[in-house]
Amino acid sequence: DIEMTQSPSSLSASVGDRVTITCRTPQTITNYLNWYQQKPGQAPKLLIFHASSLRSGVPSRFSGRASGTTFTLTISSLQPDDFATYYCQQSYSTPFTFGGGTKVDIK
Amino acid sequence: QVQLVQSGAEVKKPGASVKVSCKTSGYSSTDYDINWVRQATGQGLEWMGWMNRNSGNTGYAQKFQGRVTMTRDISINTAYMELSGLRFEDTAVYFCATRPLDYGGNSPFDYWGQGTLVTVSS
């Protein structure tokens, strides 16, 4: 199984802040790395797929980047609607493992 | 619009089985998998397995091998996930999610059901 190491597990930020979340894998996954946003009581929603492709309809303040086996999700200017938990996931091979999540809350 | 509508909450006793359904509508991909993911309260996401909508082929996470069965009824666009031998630690919200295969096998989960709470309690 490919273990996804996501950090930090939580962070506090203010509206307008730039936020970066990192996900690391122990082996290459050919950029088959996806990011999801989940709000309390809701299902996850796909934000970014294949490391850096923004899903249609997702605000452009969200971006993803890959550097080897390190992947980052950046929110360029945090908005009130962005306070949520974010998960990375690899779709390179089964089992399709998830990172442990990063909860972004209000400072 | 795409909708994945899951069946309602269930309460089961330890050792029992539960079967959760997931009805898909409006999905444009001609070939896709239905994946099942669960989430215990306050915890992260755990992938359980996949089932191809067309062929019915399945693949299960090793943790659930022997306890989970994924099936579908194409005529009503509904997928099912049955988990047997329920334990207290199986208490969780269970989600279904589609994964399109039109452009290859490494796609993300693009649409999700609303989740079904399964509570295992004596």
Side-chain angles (χ1 to χ4, degrees):
Chain A
D1 297 8
I2 298 175
E3 184 177 356
M4 311 296 288
T5 303
Q6 187 175 341
S7 62
S9 57
S10 66
L11 65 90
S12 295
S14 301
V15 173
D17 284 353
R18 182 181 181 88
V19 167
T20 298
I21 299 167
T22 299
C23 190
R24 291 184 172 85
T25 61
Q27 64 181 76
T28 181
I29 57 171
T30 322
N31 289 356
Y32 292 124
L33 188 285
N34 313 303
W35 291 98
Y36 300 88
Q37 176 195 68
Q38 187 181 34
K39 297 180 180 179
Q42 296 184 18
K45 291 181 181 178
L46 176 66
L47 298 176
I48 287 172
F49 60 98
H50 294 178
S52 59
S53 296
L54 192 68
R55 186 185 190 179
S56 175
V58 174
S60 59
R61 62 181 180 271
F62 291 93
S63 64
R65 184 177 176 183
S67 178
T69 58
T70 299
F71 302 87
T72 55
L73 171 70
T74 298
I75 309 172
S76 60
S77 177
L78 198 66
Q79 298 301 301
D81 191 47
D82 302 336
F83 292 98
T85 300
Y86 295 83
Y87 293 92
C88 61
Q89 179 223 19
Q90 61 85 15
S91 52
Y92 176 76
S93 65
T94 57
F96 294 134
T97 41
F98 290 87
T102 297
K103 184 176 181 181
V104 178
D105 62 20
I106 302 172
K107 183 184 285 185
Chain B
Q1 75 279 22
V2 178
Q3 282 193 304
L4 277 66
V5 179
Q6 298 183 222
S7 48
E10 303 262 12
V11 179
K12 296 291 184 180
K13 293 192 183 302
S17 296
V18 69
K19 192 170 186 178
V20 179
S21 68
C22 172
K23 183 175 176 62
T24 307
S25 61
Y27 195 65
S28 61
S29 292
T30 57
D31 191 17
Y32 60 93
D33 289 344
I34 293 284
N35 287 260
W36 291 89
V37 176
R38 76 177 186 180
Q39 185 174 40
T41 302
Q43 301 302 306
L45 301 168
E46 181 176 33
W47 180 78
M48 300 179 67
W50 62 269
M51 182 198 66
N52 183 264
R53 186 265 182 190
N54 292 335
S55 67
N57 289 341
T58 56
Y60 304 138
Q62 189 170 12
K63 176 177 180 177
F64 301 101
Q65 288 273 2
R67 282 211 303 145
V68 70
T69 304
M70 297 177 187
T71 57
R72 91 281 193 223
D73 185 337
I74 293 178
S75 68
I76 55 172
N77 272 335
T78 299
Y80 303 92
M81 186 283 298
E82 184 170 20
L83 189 63
S84 62
L86 289 170
R87 309 158 183 162
F88 295 120
E89 54 266 35
D90 291 320
T91 295
V93 175
Y94 290 75
F95 295 100
C96 60
T98 50
R99 192 170 77 92
L101 302 178
D102 304 69
Y103 303 104
N106 300 105
S107 304
F109 298 174
D110 56 354
Y111 293 95
W112 295 65
Q114 83 277 17
T116 297
L117 175 62
V118 175
T119 302
V120 182
S121 173
S122 55

Coordinates of all heavy atoms in Angstrom, one line a residue, chain A residues 46-85:
Chain A
L46 N -14.1 17.0 -5.1 CA -12.9 17.0 -5.9 C -12.5 18.4 -6.2 O -13.3 19.2 -6.8 CB -13.0 16.2 -7.2 CG -11.8 16.2 -8.1 CD1 -10.6 15.5 -7.4 CD2 -12.2 15.4 -9.4
L47 N -11.3 18.8 -5.9 CA -10.8 20.2 -6.3 C -9.7 20.1 -7.4 O -9.8 20.8 -8.4 CB -10.1 20.8 -5.1 CG -10.9 21.1 -3.8 CD1 -9.9 21.6 -2.7 CD2 -12.0 22.1 -4.1
I48 N -8.8 19.2 -7.2 CA -7.6 19.2 -8.2 C -7.3 17.7 -8.4 O -7.4 16.9 -7.5 CB -6.4 19.9 -7.6 CG1 -6.6 21.4 -7.6 CG2 -5.1 19.5 -8.3 CD1 -5.6 22.2 -6.9
F49 N -7.1 17.4 -9.7 CA -6.7 16.0 -10.0 C -5.4 16.0 -10.8 O -5.0 17.0 -11.4 CB -7.8 15.3 -10.8 CG -8.2 16.0 -12.1 CD1 -7.7 15.6 -13.3 CD2 -9.1 17.1 -12.1 CE1 -8.0 16.2 -14.5 CE2 -9.4 17.8 -13.3 CZ -8.9 17.3 -14.5
H50 N -4.8 14.9 -10.8 CA -3.5 14.7 -11.5 C -2.5 15.8 -11.1 O -1.8 16.4 -11.9 CB -3.7 14.7 -13.0 CG -4.4 13.4 -13.5 ND1 -4.8 13.2 -14.8 CD2 -4.9 12.4 -12.8 CE1 -5.4 12.1 -14.9 NE2 -5.6 11.6 -13.7
A51 N -2.5 16.0 -9.8 CA -1.5 16.9 -9.1 C -1.8 18.4 -9.3 O -1.6 19.2 -8.4 CB -0.1 16.6 -9.5
S52 N -2.1 18.8 -10.6 CA -2.2 20.3 -10.8 C -3.4 20.7 -11.7 O -3.5 21.9 -12.1 CB -0.9 20.7 -11.5 OG -0.7 20.0 -12.7
S53 N -4.2 19.8 -12.1 CA -5.4 20.1 -12.9 C -6.6 20.6 -12.1 O -7.1 19.8 -11.3 CB -5.8 19.0 -13.8 OG -4.7 18.6 -14.7
L54 N -7.0 21.8 -12.3 CA -8.1 22.3 -11.5 C -9.4 21.8 -12.1 O -9.7 21.9 -13.3 CB -8.1 23.9 -11.6 CG -9.0 24.6 -10.7 CD1 -8.5 24.5 -9.2 CD2 -9.0 26.1 -11.0
R55 N -10.3 21.3 -11.3 CA -11.5 20.8 -11.7 C -12.4 21.9 -12.2 O -12.4 23.0 -11.6 CB -12.3 20.0 -10.6 CG -13.6 19.4 -11.1 CD -14.4 18.7 -10.1 NE -15.4 17.9 -10.7 CZ -16.3 17.2 -10.0 NH1 -16.2 17.2 -8.7 NH2 -17.3 16.6 -10.6
S56 N -13.2 21.8 -13.2 CA -14.1 22.8 -13.7 C -15.0 23.3 -12.6 O -15.6 22.5 -11.9 CB -14.9 22.2 -14.9 OG -15.8 23.2 -15.3
G57 N -15.1 24.6 -12.5 CA -15.9 25.2 -11.5 C -15.3 25.5 -10.1 O -15.8 26.2 -9.3
V58 N -14.0 25.0 -10.0 CA -13.3 25.3 -8.7 C -12.6 26.6 -8.9 O -11.9 26.9 -9.9 CB -12.3 24.1 -8.4 CG1 -11.4 24.4 -7.2 CG2 -13.1 22.8 -8.2
P59 N -12.7 27.4 -7.8 CA -12.0 28.8 -7.9 C -10.5 28.7 -8.2 O -9.9 27.8 -7.7 CB -12.3 29.4 -6.6 CG -13.5 28.7 -6.1 CD -13.4 27.3 -6.6
S60 N -10.0 29.7 -9.0 CA -8.6 29.7 -9.4 C -7.7 30.0 -8.2 O -6.5 29.9 -8.4 CB -8.4 30.6 -10.5 OG -8.8 31.9 -10.1
R61 N -8.2 30.3 -7.0 CA -7.3 30.5 -5.9 C -6.7 29.2 -5.4 O -5.7 29.2 -4.7 CB -8.0 31.2 -4.7 CG -9.2 30.5 -4.2 CD -9.8 31.3 -3.0 NE -11.0 30.6 -2.5 CZ -12.2 30.8 -2.9 NH1 -12.5 31.6 -4.0 NH2 -13.2 30.1 -2.3
F62 N -7.3 28.1 -5.8 CA -6.8 26.7 -5.5 C -5.8 26.3 -6.6 O -6.1 26.5 -7.8 CB -7.9 25.7 -5.4 CG -8.8 25.9 -4.3 CD1 -10.0 26.6 -4.4 CD2 -8.5 25.3 -3.0 CE1 -10.8 26.8 -3.3 CE2 -9.4 25.4 -2.0 CZ -10.5 26.2 -2.1
S63 N -4.7 25.8 -6.2 CA -3.7 25.3 -7.2 C -2.9 24.1 -6.6 O -2.8 24.0 -5.4 CB -2.7 26.4 -7.6 OG -1.9 26.8 -6.6
G64 N -2.5 23.3 -7.5 CA -1.7 22.1 -7.0 C -0.4 22.1 -7.8 O -0.3 22.5 -8.9
R65 N 0.6 21.5 -7.1 CA 1.9 21.4 -7.7 C 2.6 20.1 -7.3 O 2.3 19.6 -6.2 CB 2.8 22.6 -7.2 CG 4.2 22.6 -7.8 CD 4.9 23.9 -7.4 NE 6.3 23.8 -7.9 CZ 7.2 24.8 -7.7 NH1 6.9 25.8 -6.9 NH2 8.4 24.7 -8.2
A66 N 3.4 19.6 -8.1 CA 4.1 18.3 -7.8 C 5.6 18.6 -8.0 O 6.1 19.3 -8.9 CB 3.7 17.2 -8.8
S67 N 6.4 18.0 -7.1 CA 7.8 18.0 -7.2 C 8.3 16.6 -6.7 O 8.5 16.4 -5.5 CB 8.4 19.1 -6.4 OG 9.9 19.1 -6.4
G68 N 8.5 15.7 -7.7 CA 8.9 14.4 -7.3 C 7.8 13.7 -6.6 O 6.7 13.5 -7.1
T69 N 8.1 13.3 -5.4 CA 7.0 12.6 -4.6 C 6.5 13.5 -3.5 O 5.9 13.1 -2.5 CB 7.7 11.4 -3.9 OG1 8.8 11.8 -3.1 CG2 8.1 10.4 -4.9
T70 N 6.6 14.8 -3.7 CA 6.0 15.8 -2.8 C 5.0 16.7 -3.6 O 5.3 17.2 -4.6 CB 7.1 16.7 -2.2 OG1 8.0 16.0 -1.4 CG2 6.5 17.8 -1.3
F71 N 3.8 16.7 -3.0 CA 2.7 17.4 -3.7 C 2.2 18.5 -2.7 O 2.1 18.3 -1.5 CB 1.6 16.4 -4.0 CG 2.1 15.3 -4.9 CD1 2.6 14.2 -4.3 CD2 2.0 15.4 -6.3 CE1 3.1 13.1 -5.1 CE2 2.4 14.3 -7.1 CZ 3.0 13.2 -6.5
T72 N 1.8 19.6 -3.3 CA 1.3 20.7 -2.5 C -0.1 21.2 -3.1 O -0.2 21.3 -4.3 CB 2.2 21.9 -2.4 OG1 2.6 22.3 -3.7 CG2 3.5 21.5 -1.6
L73 N -0.9 21.6 -2.1 CA -2.2 22.3 -2.5 C -2.0 23.7 -1.9 O -1.7 23.8 -0.7 CB -3.4 21.6 -1.8 CG -4.7 22.3 -1.9 CD1 -5.2 22.4 -3.3 CD2 -5.7 21.7 -1.0
T74 N -2.2 24.7 -2.7 CA -2.1 26.1 -2.2 C -3.4 26.8 -2.4 O -4.1 26.7 -3.5 CB -1.0 26.8 -2.9 OG1 0.3 26.2 -2.6 CG2 -0.9 28.3 -2.5
I75 N -3.8 27.5 -1.4 CA -5.0 28.4 -1.5 C -4.4 29.8 -1.4 O -3.8 30.2 -0.4 CB -6.0 28.2 -0.4 CG1 -6.4 26.7 -0.3 CG2 -7.3 29.1 -0.6 CD1 -7.3 26.4 0.9
S76 N -4.5 30.6 -2.5 CA -3.7 31.8 -2.6 C -4.2 32.9 -1.7 O -3.4 33.7 -1.1 CB -3.7 32.3 -4.1 OG -5.0 32.5 -4.5
S77 N -5.5 32.9 -1.5 CA -6.1 33.9 -0.6 C -7.3 33.3 0.0 O -8.4 33.2 -0.6 CB -6.5 35.2 -1.4 OG -7.1 36.1 -0.6
L78 N -7.2 32.9 1.2 CA -8.2 32.1 1.9 C -9.5 32.8 2.0 O -9.5 34.0 2.4 CB -7.7 31.7 3.3 CG -8.4 30.5 4.0 CD1 -8.2 29.2 3.2 CD2 -7.9 30.4 5.4
Q79 N -10.6 32.2 1.6 CA -11.9 32.8 1.7 C -12.8 32.1 2.8 O -12.5 31.0 3.2 CB -12.6 32.7 0.4 CG -11.9 33.5 -0.7 CD -11.7 34.9 -0.4 OE1 -12.7 35.7 -0.2 NE2 -10.5 35.4 -0.3
P80 N -13.8 32.8 3.3 CA -14.6 32.1 4.4 C -15.2 30.8 4.0 O -15.3 29.9 4.9 CB -15.8 33.1 4.5 CG -15.2 34.5 4.1 CD -14.2 34.1 3.0
D81 N -15.4 30.5 2.7 CA -16.0 29.2 2.3 C -14.9 28.1 2.3 O -15.2 27.0 2.1 CB -16.5 29.4 0.9 CG -17.4 28.2 0.4 OD1 -18.2 27.7 1.3 OD2 -17.1 27.7 -0.7
D82 N -13.6 28.5 2.5 CA -12.6 27.5 2.4 C -12.2 26.8 3.7 O -11.4 25.9 3.7 CB -11.3 28.2 1.8 CG -11.5 28.9 0.5 OD1 -12.4 28.4 -0.2 OD2 -10.7 29.8 0.2
F83 N -12.9 27.3 4.8 CA -12.6 26.6 6.0 C -13.2 25.2 6.0 O -14.5 25.1 6.0 CB -13.1 27.5 7.2 CG -12.3 28.7 7.3 CD1 -12.7 29.9 6.8 CD2 -11.0 28.7 8.0 CE1 -12.0 31.1 6.9 CE2 -10.3 29.9 8.1 CZ -10.7 31.1 7.5
A84 N -12.4 24.2 6.0 CA -12.8 22.8 5.8 C -11.6 21.9 6.0 O -10.6 22.4 6.5 CB -13.3 22.7 4.3
T85 N -11.8 20.6 5.8 CA -10.8 19.7 5.9 C -10.4 19.2 4.4 O -11.3 19.0 3.6 CB -11.2 18.4 6.7 OG1 -11.5 18.9 8.0 CG2 -10.0 17.4 6.8

